[in-house]
Amino acid sequence: MDASRDSLSARRTSHSADARGNLQRWLPLVRIAIWSVVYFAFYMAQQIAELLAPLALILGVGWAALPHVVGAVSSSAGSVDAQAHDVMSHIADAIPHQIVVGTHILTPSGLIFDGIALMAVAAIGATLSAIAARSM
């Protein structure tokens, strides 16, 4: 009877050792798969932020500077021709201070802030993707 118990105990020990061996074989692959998904997500966020940050920043600065540029041109044109001054001042007044797109309100200062925030997202994405790459 002791021999059958020893045999059963040996089979259980062998089975649990096989299960641990299988787990140890798959664990590095699962870990690499998880870190690959994390690396992809951070790198994708970084790429999108690097693409949109300069666009938002340039549009915001340009939109903020446009009324001042048109005002400077209209004041210099006013000394030459009164009709040109009226046209330029009308154009300066026609430049919107905000644009509503759906439920979003776009302003020059908002675009500038969004551009800087996207630069921060790109920097964070680069840092986190580098950490994820080292952890693989």
Side-chain angles (χ1 to χ4, degrees):
M1 195 97 150
D2 286 332
S4 66
R5 283 187 187 170
D6 290 340
S7 172
L8 182 61
S9 176
R11 275 188 262 150
R12 284 184 184 164
T13 305
S14 172
H15 180 63
S16 65
D18 288 343
R20 273 186 255 135
N22 285 336
L23 181 63
Q24 288 177 352
R25 268 187 268 153
W26 287 104
L27 194 60
L29 293 175
V30 170
R31 183 177 178 218
I32 288 174
I34 290 171
W35 278 112
S36 296
V37 170
V38 170
Y39 179 78
F40 172 80
F42 289 139
Y43 196 72
M44 184 69 144
Q46 174 192 355
Q47 293 297 313
I48 291 171
E50 284 179 352
L51 179 69
L52 296 178
L55 181 65
L57 194 58
I58 290 170
L59 284 174
V61 169
W63 187 7
L66 188 61
H68 300 293
V69 170
V70 171
V73 169
S74 70
S75 65
S76 65
S79 62
V80 177
D81 186 11
Q83 188 176 9
H85 176 69
D86 291 340
V87 169
M88 293 303 277
S89 65
H90 180 68
I91 290 173
D93 292 337
I95 297 171
H97 298 287
Q98 67 181 17
I99 297 174
V100 179
V101 179
T103 58
H104 301 286
I105 298 174
L106 300 175
T107 62
S109 61
L111 285 173
I112 292 169
F113 176 79
D114 290 345
I116 292 170
L118 284 170
M119 286 181 194
V121 168
I124 290 170
T127 302
L128 293 177
S129 64
I131 291 170
R134 288 185 184 141
S135 297
M136 278 201 261

